[in-house]
């Protein structure tokens, strides 16, 4: 019975290690997602700056300043 639990524990550890190094939740996937997140944050910052420019222009046009 003890041997069964040892084998079961070893199999569980092997599955966890496989997921950590090669599975859907691996370290490589984490780095890939972090790179995608950084790229998306840069794009969001660029778009936010463009939106602020357009909002300032709209405000100017609505208030007849510099139009």
């Amino acid at each position: 019975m003890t041997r069964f639990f040892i084998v079961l524990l070893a199999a569980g550890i092997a599955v966890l290690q496989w997921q950590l190094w090669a599975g859907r939740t691996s370290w490589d996937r984490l780095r890939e997602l972090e790179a995608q997140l950084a790229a998306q944050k840069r794009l969001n910052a660029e778009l936010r700056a463009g939106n602020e420019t357009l909002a300032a222009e709209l405000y100017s046009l609505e208030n007849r300043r510099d139009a």
Side-chain angles (χ1 to χ4, degrees):
M1 192 65 164
T2 304
R3 179 173 281 179
F4 173 74
F5 287 119
I6 291 173
V7 170
L8 186 63
L9 180 63
I13 291 172
V15 167
L16 290 175
Q17 286 295 314
W18 179 81
Q19 287 179 350
L20 180 64
W21 297 106
R24 207 180 82 210
T25 57
S26 68
W27 291 111
D28 290 333
R29 178 75 173 136
L30 176 64
R31 279 189 228 106
E32 179 184 322
L33 289 174
E34 286 174 342
Q36 288 178 3
L37 179 62
Q40 187 64 50
K41 284 183 177 183
R42 283 191 301 273
L43 177 61
N44 288 350
E46 292 172 11
L47 293 174
R48 187 173 294 114
N51 285 344
E52 289 172 0
T53 302
L54 290 173
E57 184 177 343
L58 178 63
Y59 178 80
S60 175
L61 290 171
E62 286 177 344
N63 294 305
R64 300 186 188 264
R65 294 183 186 157
D66 299 334

